[in-house]
Every structure is written in structure tokens, then in C-alpha cells.
Amino acid sequence: MGVVDVPDSRVALSTSSVYPLGVVGAFDLAERLGYDGIEVMVWTDPVSQESGALGRLIDHYGLPVVSIHAPTLLLTQRVWGVEPWGKVDNSVRLAQEVGAEVVVVHPPFRWQKEYATEFVEGIRAREDASGIAIAVENMFPWRARGREMQAYLPDWDPVGEDYRNVTLDLSHTATAGSDAVQMVQDLGDRLRHIHLADGLGSFKDEHLVPGRGGQPCAEVLEMLAAQRFSGDVVVEVGTRKLSDDDRELDLAEALAFARLHLAAPASAD
């Protein structure tokens, strides 16, 4: 019987995966299903913004917060004010207070020109000052009526930018038409964090359960396992329209998919 090596990667659940349930619902589901931790998407839910409340959940459920997702989405433009660096700084502070090692951020929108001009240097300076990895997420061009718009600066694709840490989102690679396997290879040790999801390549950001779309989710996880990847793999799938029972089934399936494909054949010594 073959021997497998399992890397040190934790498989965590994003609180966005249980929306419209809140952070408490995410902790409850993650603990019952056997996830290793939680990524907190900072949202209008007050619990997502408050280290004391999160600390009590960490203690109660015995699950760590592995990462904080800064409120840099269009839908969270007014969470923690409108000043973008304030959002990043608050997210870094929250990560420090709850013991998370990573903050996930999106690149600036193209209309945030001052923020975009200093973004790469500002991220590096904050990493140096805090010891927190700020992992910039790959995004995608916006498309409508046959036209494509560059919505992010300096780019939606982080591969060519001078970031120390990157989050690879496998729903976003589907929407962008990116080659996820090539991105893993090109990023090398700058790849710090994974958002595990799937997509069929539509213009919508689909966040399907891994294995239900066209992305090489299994291949990416197996590559990372073979490389002894030590970053976190965070399940970030959409369950908004599902019943409680179907949501639980989908999140259990996503966890099983991650566990299966993170087990790589052990190399012979």
C-alpha cells in the first residue's frame, strides 16, 4: 500500500462561505465538519471587526483564525471608513490581536489612483513593520457587452508585480481565463495563501465547490503538496442560495476535496 505525505497546510473555512450566516455560524460549521481554522472576511457583521468577540469564538470552538480578509471589496467600501490604507491597517491590527499570520487584500480599484500609486511600497512597509504577511489576491478584468475594462491597479494579475506574498484564488483564475498551474509555477515561494473554489469561466465570479468547474483545482493542490506548501488553503465557495443542510453538504464536500488532493505520494529516500 502506498505511503502519502501530507503538507503542513491547514484547510480553513472562509466566513464568506456561509453567507448570509455570520461569523458565529462559520465557526460552528467549521468545528462540526473538521476544518482546521477560519478566515474572517471583515464585513458589516460586527463580530468580524472585533478582536475580543473573535477571541471568545477561538477559545470556545478551539479553532484559530488563520487569516483576515480586509474589507476591500466593492460591497465593503464603507466598512471601517472609506480611506483604503485605514482598512489595511485595521486588518493588520486585527490579525495581530487574534494571532492570524496573513491579511488578504485586493489590489486597488483604478479610481483609487493615489492609493494605487503607493500600493506596492505601502504593502511592503506594513509587512516590515508588523511581521504580518499581506497577501495580494489575483483578480480579473471586468467585462460587459463584449468590452473588457481594467478595473484594478497596478494590475489584476499579481505575477508581474513586486509583492512578497500572493493569494491565489481559483474562482478568479476562471473568470480571468488565467492558467492557474502556470501561476503557481511563476509565483514560486511568493505564493503564500490559497482560496479554494472553482469556476466555469463565465464573466461572473462563481466560487463553485472545487471539482464542479473547469479549474485545475486537484492539480494545483497536488502540486502544492509535492512542494510541501506550508501556507493555508481556505475554502471560499458560494452557498448563499442554499438551505442549511445543502450548505453543510457543500462545505463537507469542499473539505474532503482539499484533504484528498493535498495528500501527495511520498517520495522515496
Side-chain angles (χ1 to χ4, degrees):
M1 192 169 179
V3 177
V4 297
D5 275 337
V6 179
D8 294 332
S9 301
R10 296 173 293 190
V11 181
L13 180 65
S14 169
T15 58
S16 67
S17 294
V18 307
Y19 182 84
L21 302 182
V23 175
V24 176
F27 269 91
D28 181 66
L29 271 171
E31 191 273 332
R32 286 195 287 110
L33 294 174
Y35 280 83
D36 299 321
I38 292 287
E39 174 170 297
V40 173
M41 171 77 78
V42 177
W43 196 257
T44 55
D45 179 356
V47 177
S48 72
Q49 306 174 30
E50 213 281 308
S51 61
L54 290 173
R56 288 188 288 274
L57 290 172
I58 291 167
D59 292 341
H60 179 76
Y61 288 98
L63 289 175
V65 171
V66 304
S67 45
I68 299 294
H69 195 310
T72 50
L73 291 73
L74 273 176
L75 294 175
T76 56
Q77 284 300 289
R78 296 195 176 276
V79 174
W80 282 342
V82 296
E83 203 282 305
W85 282 123
K87 294 172 181 284
V88 175
D89 291 337
N90 282 337
S91 299
V92 168
R93 189 176 304 112
L94 182 61
Q96 292 173 315
E97 290 171 353
V98 301
E101 298 174 356
V102 173
V103 167
V104 177
V105 299
H106 291 182
F109 293 110
R110 69 173 187 170
W111 55 84
Q112 296 174 309
K113 292 185 178 178
E114 183 177 347
Y115 176 46
T117 298
E118 57 189 21
F119 182 69
V120 177
E121 294 77 11
I123 291 296
R124 293 178 71 90
R126 284 162 171 81
E127 288 181 318
D128 288 340
S130 68
I132 299 291
I134 305 176
V136 182
E137 189 168 357
N138 62 303
M139 298 304 292
F140 44 83
W142 290 1
R143 301 184 181 96
R145 298 174 183 161
R147 300 182 65 184
E148 184 173 296
M149 183 180 85
Q150 166 61 287
Y152 299 97
L153 294 175
D155 201 341
W156 55 264
D157 183 351
V159 171
E161 305 303 326
D162 191 21
Y163 304 131
R164 290 182 182 136
N165 296 286
V166 171
T167 296
L168 178 64
D169 184 303
L170 292 166
S171 176
H172 295 175
T173 56
T175 304
S178 303
D179 183 336
V181 170
Q182 188 63 52
M183 289 183 74
V184 171
Q185 295 171 346
D186 291 343
L187 287 167
D189 60 10
R190 294 193 297 143
L191 179 57
R192 176 61 186 266
H193 200 68
I194 301 293
H195 280 170
L196 181 61
D198 211 333
L200 292 165
S202 82
F203 295 165
K204 292 178 61 178
D205 185 14
E206 297 169 292
H207 285 277
L208 304 178
V209 171
R212 296 185 187 176
Q215 288 302 285
C217 299
E219 185 176 354
V220 165
L221 292 177
E222 289 164 8
M223 286 177 63
L224 295 175
Q227 296 168 10
R228 306 298 299 164
F229 179 69
S230 60
D232 295 314
V233 174
V234 175
V235 170
E236 191 183 67
V237 299
T239 65
R240 179 172 61 89
K241 297 180 180 180
L242 300 183
S243 68
D244 289 345
D245 287 345
D246 286 342
R247 175 182 295 112
E248 186 164 337
L249 287 171
D250 273 9
L251 296 179
E253 180 181 330
L255 176 61
F257 185 100
R259 297 271 192 236
L260 173 65
H261 294 289
L262 280 172
S267 58
D269 291 332

